[in-house]
């Protein structure tokens, strides 16, 4: 069963979710398709932001150019119109309702990231194909490949996974723990990824 809006129940025979940073509500899991990969994403939601969005009918915004402009605005602070470029003003006027508060004095950013991606879990038969698919999430979160059993070339698999910082689980054995994700830069592409994941969790089947 896929977990979406509530805390996931992890099957007893599933590998542990290693490397997930604890949050106030605990990590949640969603089975989604992103970057051309069927992946289980562990994430920490911003529940206050998600409630705020639900109240105003806002789901998400994935346009990187608009998120780039929003990143230049302090959350909750008023930025005078005269301090903005014509390009920024045009982008702000394209924002869906609920992203910003437009007042005569200026604009106030309301939008925050709806969640934080913690760990991408890729199931694969081959560790090579698993590392290739897990590599597509390297800019956004920690990664882990789960194999059904120990590969014949275990030493090579261990060395490659360790080199790329990708966790490797074979059956129930943790061969390599995932390297913690250190790049927490609040970049537009990372915010867009969080928005996309949020949208996937809203539409994923129970």
């Amino acid at each position: 069963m896929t977990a979406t809006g509530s805390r996931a129940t992890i099957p007893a025979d599933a590998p542990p979710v290693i490397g997930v940073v604890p949050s106030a509500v605990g990590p949640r899991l969603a089975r989604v398709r992103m970057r051309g990969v069927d992946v289980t994403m562990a994430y920490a939601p911003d529940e206050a932001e998600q409630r705020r969005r639900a109240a105003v009918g806002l789901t998400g915004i994935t346009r990187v150019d608009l998120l780039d402009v929003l990143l230049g605005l302090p959350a909750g602070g008023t930025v005078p119109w005269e301090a903005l470029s014509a390009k920024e003003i045009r982008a702000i006027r394209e924002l869906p309702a609920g992203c910003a508060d437009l007042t005569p004095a200026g604009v106030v950013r309301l939008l925050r990231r709806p969640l934080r991606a913690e760990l991408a879990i890729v199931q694969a038969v081959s560790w090579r194909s698993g590392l290739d698919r897990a590599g597509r999430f390297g800019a956004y979160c920690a990664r882990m490949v789960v194999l059904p059993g120990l590969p014949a070339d275990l030493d090579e698999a261990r060395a490659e996974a360790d080199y790329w910082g990708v966790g490797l689980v074979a059956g129930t054995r943790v061969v390599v723990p995932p390297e913690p994700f250190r790049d927490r830069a609040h970049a537009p592409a990372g915010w867009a990824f969080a928005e996309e994941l949020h949208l996937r969790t809203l539409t994923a089947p129970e």
Side-chain angles (χ1 to χ4, degrees):
M1 183 173 69
T2 300
T4 55
S6 58
R7 184 176 302 184
T9 300
I10 305 175
D13 59 350
V17 181
I18 306 165
V20 176
V21 178
S23 69
V25 297
R28 296 183 181 179
L29 301 179
R31 182 71 174 171
V32 296
R33 186 166 181 82
M34 298 182 70
R35 302 300 184 269
V37 177
D38 292 321
V39 60
T40 298
M41 293 295 308
Y43 65 96
D46 182 334
E47 293 196 320
E49 172 65 3
Q50 293 187 7
R51 286 194 300 269
R52 186 192 70 81
R53 292 186 183 202
V56 298
L58 175 66
T59 52
I61 175 171
T62 57
R63 280 182 52 181
V64 176
D65 60 330
L66 298 184
L67 294 173
D68 189 21
V69 171
L70 283 170
L71 274 175
L73 305 177
T78 301
V79 178
W81 292 110
E82 56 269 23
L84 300 169
S85 68
K87 180 180 177 181
E88 289 171 328
I89 292 174
R90 286 195 300 271
I92 288 168
R93 296 197 183 281
E94 290 186 50
L95 291 170
C99 291
D101 186 13
L102 279 56
T103 73
V107 58
V108 180
R109 173 163 71 87
L110 304 175
L111 199 72
R112 301 196 309 266
R113 287 197 192 197
L115 54 80
R116 184 179 66 247
E118 297 288 4
L119 180 69
I121 306 168
V122 175
Q123 295 184 341
V125 175
S126 160
W127 62 265
R128 294 181 188 276
S129 64
L131 289 180
D132 177 68
R133 285 183 281 154
R136 303 179 195 183
F137 302 93
Y140 310 111
C141 60
R143 299 152 293 157
M144 183 167 71
V145 173
V146 178
L147 303 176
L150 290 174
D153 49 353
L154 177 60
D155 289 342
E156 184 179 3
R158 179 189 290 113
E160 285 292 318
D162 184 64
Y163 177 81
W164 294 109
V166 179
L168 182 64
V169 173
T172 58
R173 175 179 171 182
V174 179
V175 179
V176 178
E179 184 176 291
F181 183 65
R182 304 185 188 283
D183 184 9
R184 293 293 184 188
H186 203 27
W191 192 351
F193 181 84
E195 294 285 344
E196 182 183 351
L197 176 56
H198 173 60
L199 292 174
R200 295 289 187 273
T201 66
L202 293 178
T203 58
E206 293 286 349

